[in-house]
Amino acid sequence: MTLEQHKSRLYPLLQTAMELELSTIPPYLTALLSIKREANRVAAGLIRSVMMEEMLHLVLVGNLMSSLGGRICLNQDTLPSYPLRLEFEGHGFKDREFDINLEAFSPQAVQTFLQIELPTSLARQPQRLMARPKITVPGITLGEFYQRIIAALDALCAAYPESAVFNGDPGRQISEQYYWGGGGKPVIISSLAQAKAALEVIIKQGEGGDDSIFDGDEHYFDQAEEVAHYFRFNEIAQGRRYRPGDKPNEPPTGEAFTVDYQAVYPIKRNPRHGDYAAGSRLATLNEQFNRQYSLMLSQLEQAFNGHPAVLYDAIVNGMHGMTPIAQEMMTLPLDGSAGASHGAPSFEWVA
């Protein structure tokens, strides 16, 4: 088998990684924007901080794919559809699977977020669920999945020179010049060490490092120490912050804060465009949102495939433009009556 044939077996893993990271952003954003202004400020800040780091993870995966000479695909065929099943396949474990929904900030949503970011050391095994559109993940957690990518890169570089493995043009990758979204900084990849550094950032920001609640990325990005994604969501679930010395398998012992699940817009769970009456304000807003969303994905695809400057348009015209549309939708009842479910974006593809 040639080097390119070996690489072609790695590309689907990286495409899956991109789709996984992308699949977390709509549910995190939906829950965040469903919170009414001035309510749940600590919880909202925690969700937003995780979402920003997921954007960084997209960039890191995109840079790794580019460094190997591959291409990322973001289109109608790779767009996550909700409810979305995540099905994990781990050696020595029963399969772990659960559904991700577009839903308001709630205890159920927070529990789903905990399952997404679950550390390998805390992996649980839920029962099997009814059939659903899904992403199959080779590993019992996202961290184990990324460790498999690291192992595949190790094997490639043991068999071939690093310069041949990482033969993509570094100038086609996304650098700090084009990314300012927070959550850390892009890693330009041209070696195995840099590839591992990028993947370790993704793993540690998600589940912590070395049996620690902290993400361990402060030395990468010259920033304050933070707890990993799983533990930020557990802070929300427990209504209490972690503090130094707290253990991963124990509840946080720091300062308490208020979590009010009533101070939330009662949005429809997993909305679709057909839920909104033709010609209604909600239908018009949802169409606008989905056009922005689809354009943003197309621009992200361009940015990850050698045109990094397009990332600016994707973020400014996409993410920033989508937020006020979603916020207005969430204030509007579906049928205009008090007590009805409110609207929310459906995150569907528009050609």
Side-chain angles (χ1 to χ4, degrees):
M1 186 179 295
T2 67
L3 172 57
E4 288 308 312
Q5 287 172 323
H6 277 106
K7 284 186 179 183
S8 68
R9 298 173 68 175
L10 182 57
Y11 293 153
L13 289 178
L14 295 177
Q15 177 65 35
T16 296
M18 179 64 70
E19 293 172 26
L20 278 169
E21 300 296 344
L22 177 63
S23 73
T24 67
I25 293 174
Y28 292 167
L29 181 63
T30 298
L32 173 63
L33 296 182
S34 74
I35 297 172
K36 293 182 178 179
R37 291 177 183 266
E38 308 307 324
N40 294 303
R41 289 301 85 195
V42 174
L46 290 168
I47 297 171
R48 184 183 185 279
S49 71
V50 172
M51 189 178 69
M52 296 305 297
E53 290 182 352
E54 298 297 351
M55 291 295 295
L56 174 66
H57 297 177
L58 290 177
V59 170
L60 295 174
V61 172
N63 279 357
L64 178 54
M65 180 73 95
S66 181
S67 75
L68 296 168
R71 291 182 60 83
I72 289 293
C73 183
L74 295 177
N75 58 26
Q76 185 174 10
D77 296 328
T78 62
L79 185 74
S81 176
Y82 301 91
L84 176 70
R85 173 70 41 78
L86 284 194
E87 182 179 83
F88 292 81
E89 299 178 342
H91 296 310
F93 292 86
K94 295 170 66 176
D95 289 346
R96 187 172 75 92
E97 57 182 18
F98 57 90
D99 290 337
I100 302 177
N101 298 290
L102 299 177
E103 59 185 331
F105 178 64
S106 65
Q108 295 80 8
V110 173
Q111 287 302 312
T112 298
F113 299 165
L114 285 167
Q115 284 283 3
I116 293 170
E117 307 289 354
L118 185 67
T120 304
S121 61
L122 302 179
R124 295 182 286 272
Q125 301 162 11
Q127 295 179 347
R128 289 191 171 278
L129 307 170
M130 60 187 291
R132 174 108 47 227
K134 68 181 180 181
I135 296 177
T136 300
V137 185
I140 195 64
T141 63
L142 295 183
E144 185 178 285
F145 167 61
Y146 280 111
Q147 289 291 355
R148 293 189 182 190
I149 295 177
I150 290 174
L153 291 170
D154 278 332
L156 266 182
C157 291
Y160 300 96
E162 286 189 33
S163 59
V165 173
F166 299 98
N167 63 342
D169 179 3
R172 293 169 62 85
Q173 297 180 40
I174 294 172
S175 67
E176 289 184 60
Q177 178 181 356
Y178 305 111
Y179 180 83
W180 68 100
K185 303 173 184 177
V187 177
I188 301 299
I189 300 170
S190 59
S191 69
L192 179 61
Q194 291 164 336
K196 286 183 173 181
L199 294 174
E200 287 291 343
V201 166
I202 296 175
I203 294 169
K204 290 181 178 180
Q205 283 189 340
E207 64 179 50
D210 301 323
D211 295 321
S212 169
I213 62 173
F214 294 99
D215 59 20
D217 67 0
E218 62 275 2
H219 65 285
Y220 286 112
F221 306 133
D222 190 26
Q223 62 185 23
E225 189 175 52
E226 294 180 296
V227 299
H229 294 182
Y230 174 86
F231 301 101
R232 289 181 220 174
F233 287 135
N234 200 38
E235 288 181 325
I236 298 173
Q238 302 294 331
R240 188 174 295 275
R241 304 303 295 262
Y242 281 96
R243 62 181 179 182
D246 286 349
K247 302 299 183 183
N249 59 347
E250 297 176 359
T253 64
E255 181 181 357
F257 60 91
T258 299
V259 179
D260 182 1
Y261 293 112
Q262 302 306 310
V264 173
Y265 292 108
I267 62 173
K268 181 177 176 58
R269 195 185 207 197
N270 298 319
R272 307 294 290 177
H273 71 276
D275 294 326
Y276 305 127
S280 66
R281 180 62 176 162
L282 277 170
T284 299
L285 289 169
N286 193 56
E287 177 77 5
Q288 291 175 355
F289 183 96
N290 286 337
R291 286 186 180 278
Q292 289 276 76
Y293 180 52
S294 302
L295 177 60
M296 182 187 75
L297 293 180
S298 296
Q299 292 171 330
L300 286 174
E301 183 182 71
Q302 293 178 56
F304 295 143
N305 291 324
H307 303 281
V310 181
L311 185 69
Y312 177 87
D313 294 323
I315 299 301
V316 173
N317 298 330
M319 187 64 75
H320 293 178
M322 288 154 51
T323 296
I325 299 173
Q327 289 173 323
E328 182 178 352
M329 290 186 71
M330 292 181 183
T331 66
L332 301 175
L334 263 69
D335 62 6
S337 64
S341 295
H342 287 208
S346 60
F347 289 90
E348 294 172 279
W349 182 264
V350 176

